[in-house]
Every structure is written in structure tokens, then in C-alpha cells.
Amino acid sequence: MAAEIFARLTIFLTELGVAILVSYLLWNLSRIYQQDFIRSWFLAFVAFVFYQSMILMQLVFSFQPALRDIFQFFIIVSSYSFASFLVRGMLQTRSGEAHILTDWTARKLLWFICGVAALSVLPFSIVAALESWQQYFQWQFRLLLMGILLLTAAVSLLQRLDKSLGQRLAAVAISLWGLLYVGYAILQLVNAQQMQDIQVALVYKSVELVLLCSVGLALLIWLHEHERTANLQLTEKTRYLNRYDQLTGALNRDAFLVQLQERLQIASEKPLHVLMLGLDKFKTINESVGLKQGDILLRQLNKRFEGSILKPALIARTGGDIFALALNDINSETQLQFALRHLQQLVQKSFELAGEQLQLSCTIGISSAPEDAVSAESLLQKANIAFHQAKRLQSQNLAYRAGMEDETARLISWESELLAAMQKNEFVLYFQPQINLRSNQLDAFEVLVRWQHPQKGFLMPGQFLSFVEQLGFSRQLDFWILQRAIQTISEWRQLGLHVPLAVNMSPLHFQQDGLKQKIQELLMQYKVSPELLELEITENTAMHDMEKGSNHVMELQQMGIRVSIDDFGTGYSSLAYLRRMPIDKIKIDRSFVMDMAGNDSDMMIVKTMIKLAHGLGKRILAEGVETSIQLDLLKSMSCDAVQGYHFSKPLTESDAIIYCKRQLSS
């Protein structure tokens, strides 16, 4: 008898030790991999340790009935927790599958198990008449339910079996464990007396020990295989990312260069063209619809390139919104131009994002082999040079030509000089008077800019404005001029001079949504009345986006700022925008005024412009008036105002102040 008890204790202690060891290993693996299913298995084996400890204590010690009920409660909680968390872990390995055991948190599941355990213990503690059923509910029924839960875990695992040895061993061991519990519970119900034999109990616990070791070993093998699979997947992903762009699936820059070099080494009579394609104003798209939608747009664009009738030999994403394409089926300049138009149409086709229709444009730089280069690196570099040159010139596409590197170097030099000029106030404002023909008095000054360069000397706008535009500094220079003009108005007001200043505004700056706020801040900073500021925009600016432009003009007018159309007649003139735009004044370009006296066509155009402006309720000003004949003709046509060398050339600030005072005194 003592030997049997010793054997039984040995098996219990061995089970307890194995369960503790497996729990410790699962705890470490859970900390390393941070996986929910490993955490659930760890909780299952911790519950089994607690379960074995409670049973062992019941075998060794004798307890009072009340304390025995408490122990029985914890035995039921730990046994159900073991089976439930084991099932939960198996279900969690099947990602995306919803189940009550996976939807509930571990704490919520444990509280539910405690409730079930309480229902299994409390009724028998309170009602003595139910004591005869206690064995069934607390032992046979519990074993039966644990067996069903373990079989459920095995079935869940069998539904997703792969070639993993660990998964197969786990499925077999858990199935046998579940069958052991179910079979033992049924045999106890059929022949309770025989099942209480200690030798039967020893066989049962021995089989349970073997199955415990098998399940623990199977789970550890499974996790080792999982780690190996994860490492293989990571290796494959690394290899993929070494060649492909993660966002779009296109080639990355390095892979593009490798494959391009391979194609260049293959002898072929057909030329190879490399296109550097960049989206225009993509940053604005990201800001308006969000980065996530911007990423979707890039993926859609890559799919358009892949499905294009051009069938590019190579497609790569080399930067944020920059794609590189290699075309090897272009035999003539005509075909190349067709390919460029087709690519631009692919980009311009509407994108639907977040319920909105978005339209884009692009800029393309082109290089060709073998004319421009014979190596992949040089070919891509020259396409990039052509692309940035096209951006600066605001051209849709541009082919590389010899000497572009020098232009780029020169622009880089201009870039640093222009930035320094704005920081050091090397730019100087000049002022050209605008005369009211009805009162013969000064109406306003047009603000013009000059550059007092420390090395190159005094520079006129034609000598540097093109570089400003190419480098994308138009907005910065506009803001600098605007700030200086408003500051000048403030300083002149302190001298008793209240003369409006007209400031030219580049299309890029005028189309920015934050322009109104910037002007408001400057007006408040220098305490200047908005009626003393006038903004001049070209008609091409007005026509670019008529609805948006009209809204901008209306907002400025509501602030009290006047807006006029500059160089009228030189762009895409349209009666529609004159009718819709709430502008105050139209300025006739000097090219019509200069030859007006000797050219009947120009005379008729100027006359028509004046009548048109008056008919629409707008004031009109003629630029470039240099002779008394031109002035007399404009007066006879009822022109409202003029400016030009006949009255005054552009004046320095000090001369402009003298001119104002002379006008006031006359």
C-alpha cells in the first residue's frame, strides 16, 4: 500500500515538475515573440501546475469540509482554465477567425470559469440533499467537459494542419488526452467501484503524464518551427525589398540600375530610352487627402504603367513621387512623342480617392542610350538632370542635351546667391507712377524690384527673374516684395504720404490658399489700411482655375484690397473671366500702346479694350506711354490712367517720396 502511495505521489510530482518546466519555457518564449497564442498556452500550463498542486495537497493533507470546498473550487477553476486556455491558444493560431474564447480577454474568461466553478461547488455546500450528486458534478462531469474542450482544441488544430511536425504531434497528443478524460469519466460512471482502484488511478495518471510530456514537447517543437518559418519569411521579405519598392511593388532604384545595365550590355540596334517621371504638386495632394490616400494613388499609378500599351521594359519607383521607366521598343522621334503623350494621359486620367476625383499632371525627363550614355548609372543621372531642368522651365517633358550639367551648376550658384539676397536685403524696390488722366494726379505707384548684387552690380529683373522662376523661388521673392511694400506704405504714412502701392503677384503665390492670411498678418504688423494695397496678377493666372481665382479675388476685395489684371491681351484673353472675376482694374500691355500711333490694328485693339473694360464697370490703365501722341490718343479714348516714361521712369524710394511731395504741392 505504501509503495502504491509512493508511486502515485511520484507521478503527481513528476507531472507537476514537467508542467512547471513547460510553463517556464513558454513564459520566456512569450516575452520574446509577444504572440497571443503563446501567452494563452503559458496560462494553460500555469493553470495545470495549480491544478496538480491542489490535488496533491488534497492527497497529502486532511481538511475540514469548508476548506475542502475551497480547495475543490480552485481545482475546478484551474482544470477548466487549463483546457479553456489551451483551446484558446489553438484558436488564436488561426488568424482572422472569430470565437468567443478569442474575443474575450483572459481576465473575462477567467471570471467566467470562476462563475462555473462556483455553481459546481456552492449548491452542494448549502444543500445537504445534493451531496450524492457531488461526485458526478465535481469529478466525472468535470473530466468529461475537460475532455470535450481538449478534443475541441485538437479539432481546431486539425483544420489548419500543415507540414509542421510540431502541429501534428500536438494534434495527436491533445486528441489522446481528450479521449483519456472522456473515457475515464464514462468508465467511472459505468463502474465507479472499479475505477477507484489505486492501480487504475496509477495507470490513468501515468498515461496523463506521458500525454503532458508529449503536448509540452509538441508545442516547443511547433514554436521552434514557427521561429524558423518566421526567419525564412523575413529573409524572403528582405530579398524582396532588396529588389522591389514595398509600397508599389515596382523595382527599387538599385534593382532598376542592375537590370538596366544588363539590357545595355545586350547588343541591339534599337535605342533604349530612360524616362524620369515625377508628379506635379504631389505634396499638395498628400496634404489635402492624407498620406494613406497618397500611397493608394501611387499604387494605382504603378498599375496603370504596368497595364499600359507601351509595356515598359522596366518600371521603378526611385523616390517619393518619382518613377523611372525604361522603353526599348521606340524606333523614332514620333514614337517617342506618342509614348510621352500616352504616359501623361495615364497620369492625367482621374483618380478616385475617398470619394473624390483627383487629377494630376507630371513632368518627364528623357535620356537615350547610346547617344547620351552607355552605363545605367549615367543614363539615369542624365534623365534626372533633364527632369529637374524641365521642372525649372515648367515644361511637360524635356530630353537631355549636352551642357545641361553646366546649367544645373549655374542654377545651383544662383540659388545660393538668391537666398542670400533675400536674407541680406540686397533686393531694392523701385516705384513707377500711375497717373489718373481725369485729375492729372498721382493715382498709385507700381512696385518694381531690382537687385544690387555685391559682385555683379545692379541687375534688372530680366537678368535674374527667370532664375527665380526656375528655382521655384517666386513665392519667397513675392513675399519679400509684399512685406517690403507694406512696410514702405507704413513708413510713408508717417511722412504724411497716403499713396497706394501695386504689387505684382506670381501665379504660384496667388494660387496658394494661405495668401490671404499672410497679407492680413502683414497689414496688422505694420498697421496699414488694406485700401493702400493693390495686387496685380496676369490674365493667365486668372484663367488657370477660374473658380478658385474668383474666390481668392473676392476674399481679397472683402478685406479692402484691390486686384487688377496685368499685361492684358498677351495671354489667353477671355470675356468669361472678365465677367466672372471681381477685379477692379485692367492694365493694357505696353506692346499694344507702343505702336498704337502708327498701327491701325493696335489702335482698334486698345480702343476695344477700353470700351470693354468700361462696359464691364472696370477701370483701365495703359502701360508703356512714352510720347505725348500716345497720351493724347489714350485721353481721346477715355482711358482712366496711364504709366510710362513720358511721366517718369521707375524711381528709387527717395525720388518717389520727392515726386509725391511735388504732386501734393502742385
Side-chain angles (χ1 to χ4, degrees):
M1 184 68 179
E4 291 175 342
I5 293 174
F6 177 75
R8 193 171 184 181
L9 286 173
T10 301
I11 293 173
F12 269 98
L13 289 171
T14 304
E15 274 194 287
L16 185 61
V18 171
I20 291 172
L21 178 61
V22 174
S23 299
Y24 175 74
L25 293 172
L26 288 172
W27 174 68
N28 277 304
L29 291 169
S30 174
R31 287 199 311 165
I32 294 170
Y33 296 111
Q34 299 291 315
Q35 296 284 348
D36 289 336
F37 68 90
I38 304 177
R39 195 174 293 111
S40 293
W41 290 345
F42 162 68
L43 293 174
F45 277 87
V46 168
F48 192 82
V49 169
F50 200 71
Y51 168 59
Q52 288 297 110
S53 301
M54 292 294 103
I55 293 179
L56 192 59
M57 290 176 71
Q58 273 194 336
L59 289 174
V60 175
F61 304 105
S62 296
F63 298 105
Q64 295 295 328
L67 195 58
R68 190 167 56 246
D69 288 339
I70 294 173
F71 264 83
Q72 192 62 39
F73 170 79
F74 284 114
I75 287 172
I76 295 171
V77 169
S78 56
S79 59
Y80 284 163
S81 296
F82 164 66
S84 298
F85 279 104
L86 194 63
V87 176
R88 187 172 189 257
M90 296 303 170
L91 292 171
Q92 285 172 331
T93 60
R94 302 167 62 182
S95 58
E97 182 172 319
H99 192 278
I100 189 170
L101 290 177
T102 56
D103 291 342
W104 282 4
T105 62
R107 183 177 296 179
K108 188 174 182 180
L109 178 59
L110 192 59
W111 278 112
F112 175 76
I113 292 170
C114 289
V116 173
L119 291 175
S120 301
V121 174
L122 286 176
F124 304 107
S125 301
I126 297 171
V127 183
L130 297 175
E131 189 174 350
S132 59
W133 292 91
Q134 187 173 2
Q135 181 75 9
Y136 293 105
F137 275 91
Q138 294 182 357
W139 182 245
Q140 285 93 347
F141 179 74
R142 177 171 59 81
L143 282 179
L144 184 64
L145 186 56
M146 285 176 65
I148 292 171
L149 285 171
L150 290 175
L151 288 172
T152 303
V155 170
S156 172
L157 187 53
L158 286 168
Q159 290 178 350
R160 65 176 301 276
L161 271 179
D162 51 27
K163 296 180 181 180
S164 167
L165 175 63
Q167 289 187 33
R168 293 179 179 180
L169 286 176
V172 172
I174 293 171
S175 299
L176 292 175
W177 203 343
L179 290 172
L180 174 68
Y181 282 161
V182 172
Y184 194 66
I186 293 173
L187 287 174
Q188 277 196 330
L189 289 170
V190 173
N191 193 344
Q193 190 66 34
Q194 183 180 351
M195 296 308 294
Q196 290 176 1
D197 192 321
I198 193 168
Q199 292 183 346
V200 175
L202 284 173
V203 172
Y204 162 74
K205 293 303 290 183
S206 298
V207 175
E208 186 182 51
L209 173 59
V210 172
L211 292 173
L212 172 66
C213 294
S214 300
V215 170
L217 179 63
L219 293 181
L220 293 175
I221 293 173
W222 185 352
L223 291 175
H224 174 72
E225 292 173 332
H226 174 76
E227 179 185 6
R228 187 178 63 184
T229 303
N231 287 336
L232 288 173
Q233 290 174 346
L234 183 61
T235 302
E236 287 299 317
K237 185 175 182 181
T238 303
R239 288 175 181 170
Y240 177 84
L241 293 178
N242 282 337
R243 297 189 62 210
Y244 296 98
D245 171 52
Q246 186 176 11
L247 178 62
T248 61
L251 293 170
N252 61 26
R253 185 181 185 278
D254 292 338
F256 178 81
L257 287 173
V258 170
Q259 295 192 29
L260 181 61
Q261 189 62 43
E262 290 173 356
R263 290 179 179 274
L264 288 170
Q265 290 172 351
I266 299 173
S268 176
E269 295 180 358
K270 293 183 178 179
L272 183 66
H273 299 277
V274 172
L275 276 54
M276 182 73 75
L277 184 150
L279 302 179
D280 299 330
K281 301 180 183 178
F282 187 69
K283 184 180 178 182
T284 307
I285 297 292
N286 275 336
E287 290 172 354
S288 60
V289 299
L291 294 174
K292 187 176 180 180
Q293 294 297 321
D295 291 345
I296 293 172
L297 187 149
L298 291 175
R299 284 194 288 269
Q300 290 180 3
L301 183 59
N302 184 62
K303 288 181 180 178
R304 290 185 185 182
F305 291 152
E306 291 176 342
S308 165
I309 59 172
L310 288 176
K311 294 182 174 54
L314 300 172
I315 303 172
R317 178 171 172 249
T318 59
D321 59 351
I322 308 293
F323 288 85
L325 297 90
L327 305 179
N328 62 350
D329 199 22
I330 304 294
N331 298 315
S332 65
E333 181 64 25
T334 303
Q335 286 184 337
L336 179 60
Q337 292 303 318
F338 170 79
L340 294 173
R341 284 196 300 272
H342 179 68
L343 288 171
Q344 286 164 345
Q345 288 168 1
L346 288 178
V347 174
Q348 290 167 2
K349 185 180 177 182
S350 296
F351 292 87
E352 187 167 348
L353 297 174
E356 294 184 24
Q357 294 285 335
L358 293 177
Q359 283 192 316
L360 298 176
S361 60
C362 67
T363 302
I364 304 175
I366 310 118
S367 65
S368 305
E371 294 87 348
D372 299 327
V374 292
S375 71
E377 186 75 40
S378 296
L379 205 57
L380 187 63
Q381 181 186 6
K382 290 181 177 179
N384 188 48
I385 291 170
F387 166 74
H388 286 290
Q389 185 78 338
K391 277 277 190 184
R392 286 189 287 265
L393 297 175
Q394 298 182 357
S395 174
Q396 287 188 337
N397 59 77
L398 195 64
Y400 172 82
R401 66 178 184 275
M404 272 189 179
E405 294 93 338
D406 297 334
E407 293 180 33
T408 302
R410 188 165 62 253
L411 280 171
I412 291 172
S413 173
W414 275 103
E415 181 176 7
S416 59
E417 291 178 10
L418 284 166
L419 287 172
M422 283 183 273
Q423 291 171 357
K424 298 176 181 178
N425 289 325
E426 292 175 4
F427 291 111
V428 182
L429 295 188
Y430 272 63
F431 306 87
Q432 185 165 34
Q434 296 178 345
I435 305 301
N436 189 315
L437 290 183
R438 288 182 171 80
S439 63
N440 289 321
Q441 294 295 314
L442 177 66
D443 232 0
F445 280 111
E446 180 181 4
V447 176
L448 305 170
V449 66
R450 307 287 187 263
W451 186 358
Q452 188 62 56
H453 197 284
Q455 285 84 37
K456 298 182 175 73
F458 191 76
L459 301 180
M460 298 295 286
Q463 295 174 277
F464 63 85
L465 282 184
S466 61
F467 298 112
V468 171
E469 293 173 1
Q470 290 178 48
L471 290 165
F473 288 160
S474 297
R475 287 178 57 192
Q476 290 96 315
L477 183 58
D478 278 355
F479 185 73
W480 186 92
I481 296 171
L482 189 62
Q483 183 179 15
R484 286 289 294 117
I486 294 175
Q487 184 181 354
T488 301
I489 294 172
S490 176
E491 292 170 354
W492 286 7
R493 186 192 59 201
Q494 295 174 12
L495 298 174
L497 303 176
H498 300 274
V499 182
L501 296 184
V503 179
N504 290 282
M505 192 62 55
S506 68
L508 285 174
H509 200 177
F510 186 75
Q511 291 159 12
Q512 293 299 312
D513 293 328
L515 177 62
K516 175 185 172 183
Q517 184 179 354
K518 286 181 182 178
I519 294 175
Q520 284 178 325
E521 290 172 356
L522 288 173
L523 293 175
M524 291 178 65
Q525 179 183 348
Y526 292 103
K527 299 178 181 178
V528 168
S529 173
E531 287 81 7
L532 294 175
L533 180 65
E534 180 179 328
L535 298 183
E536 295 184 355
I537 60 173
T538 62
E539 56 186 324
N540 289 346
T541 305
M543 288 288 290
H544 179 74
D545 187 337
M546 198 176 296
E547 184 175 352
K548 189 174 182 179
S550 180
N551 292 336
H552 281 328
V553 172
M554 197 169 296
E555 288 176 353
L556 293 168
Q557 282 198 333
Q558 288 171 353
M559 290 170 57
I561 297 170
R562 294 177 295 173
V563 180
S564 62
I565 296 294
D566 194 16
D567 299 334
F568 182 73
T570 59
Y572 300 102
S573 302
S574 168
L575 294 178
Y577 89 79
L578 285 177
R579 179 173 56 85
R580 291 176 57 183
M581 282 276 183
I583 54 177
D584 297 281
K585 184 168 63 181
I586 297 171
K587 297 180 70 177
I588 304 173
D589 186 69
R590 67 178 65 249
S591 60
F592 297 103
V593 175
M594 288 176 64
D595 297 331
M596 183 176 58
N599 189 314
D600 291 340
S601 297
D602 284 352
M603 173 88 74
M604 184 57 66
I605 290 172
V606 172
K607 191 173 184 179
T608 303
M609 287 181 184
I610 293 171
K611 287 186 177 181
L612 175 64
H614 289 163
L616 293 171
K618 319 289 184 186
R619 296 182 71 245
I620 192 157
L621 178 147
E623 298 179 298
V625 177
E626 297 182 355
T627 66
S628 57
I629 297 174
Q630 293 170 346
L631 179 62
D632 292 339
L633 287 171
L634 289 168
K635 284 182 177 179
S636 67
M637 297 177 196
S638 301
C639 185
D640 298 303
V642 293
Q643 72 179 72
Y645 276 41
H646 181 70
F647 293 93
S648 173
K649 63 180 182 179
L651 304 169
T652 63
E653 184 177 354
S654 58
D655 289 340
I657 292 172
I658 294 170
Y659 188 94
C660 284
K661 290 180 177 179
R662 191 165 55 242
Q663 282 280 318
L664 289 173
S665 62
S666 61

